[in-house]
Amino acid sequence: MVEMTREEFETLVGDALDLIPPQLAAMMDNVAVFVEDEPEAADPELLGLYEGTPLTERGEWYAGVLPDRIIIYRGPTLRHCETREEVVEEVRVTVIHEVAHHFGFDDHELHDLGWS
């Protein structure tokens, strides 16, 4: 397991978000990104989670709703990795994976594209 402060981990998440091409980042709508230490007990090794309505499923009814949430989990990510370099890469992949859910990609499509 890699040791890393929450602040360092949050910086990695921010750095990963900065890697999203500006034209895609500009299309992200009503979504907030959070770092949490641990996921629900039912899925203790979950690295990230997207909660919300993907852009591809929003219709005229979509107004006045709370922001979608992307959550990146620090504990499982640090336990999953053996080096700081692996943490950097895993955070990058996890952030891109969850952002892709916001754009409407499902897990099967992301797996086929190599982002799972």
Side-chain angles (χ1 to χ4, degrees):
M1 181 172 143
V2 177
E3 296 291 328
M4 184 176 288
T5 67
R6 184 178 179 100
E7 183 178 272
E8 290 173 303
F9 192 84
E10 288 174 350
T11 297
L12 293 181
V13 171
D15 292 346
L17 287 167
D18 289 344
L19 294 174
I20 296 171
Q23 62 272 30
L24 286 179
M27 294 170 59
M28 292 177 66
D29 182 44
N30 200 33
V31 61
V33 179
F34 299 93
V35 169
E36 292 187 8
D37 288 327
E38 297 292 337
E40 298 289 325
D43 200 354
E45 294 308 309
L46 187 65
L47 304 181
L49 180 66
Y50 171 74
E51 297 177 325
T53 304
L55 295 176
T56 55
E57 296 178 17
R58 295 179 185 180
E60 294 177 14
W61 58 269
Y62 188 86
V65 298
L66 292 174
D68 294 0
R69 292 172 33 110
I70 291 174
I71 306 166
I72 308 300
Y73 295 107
R74 180 175 160 262
T77 303
L78 296 179
R79 288 191 297 274
H80 179 76
C81 298
E82 295 182 12
T83 66
R84 292 178 80 77
E85 292 77 19
E86 286 181 14
V87 173
V88 170
E89 178 63 13
E90 190 60 56
V91 167
R92 184 183 71 83
V93 169
T94 303
V95 166
I96 291 170
H97 180 101
E98 301 309 331
V99 167
H101 283 316
H102 176 68
F103 282 102
F105 289 86
D106 65 26
D107 282 330
H108 179 72
E109 292 169 315
L110 290 171
H111 176 75
D112 289 347
L113 294 169
W115 291 104
S116 59

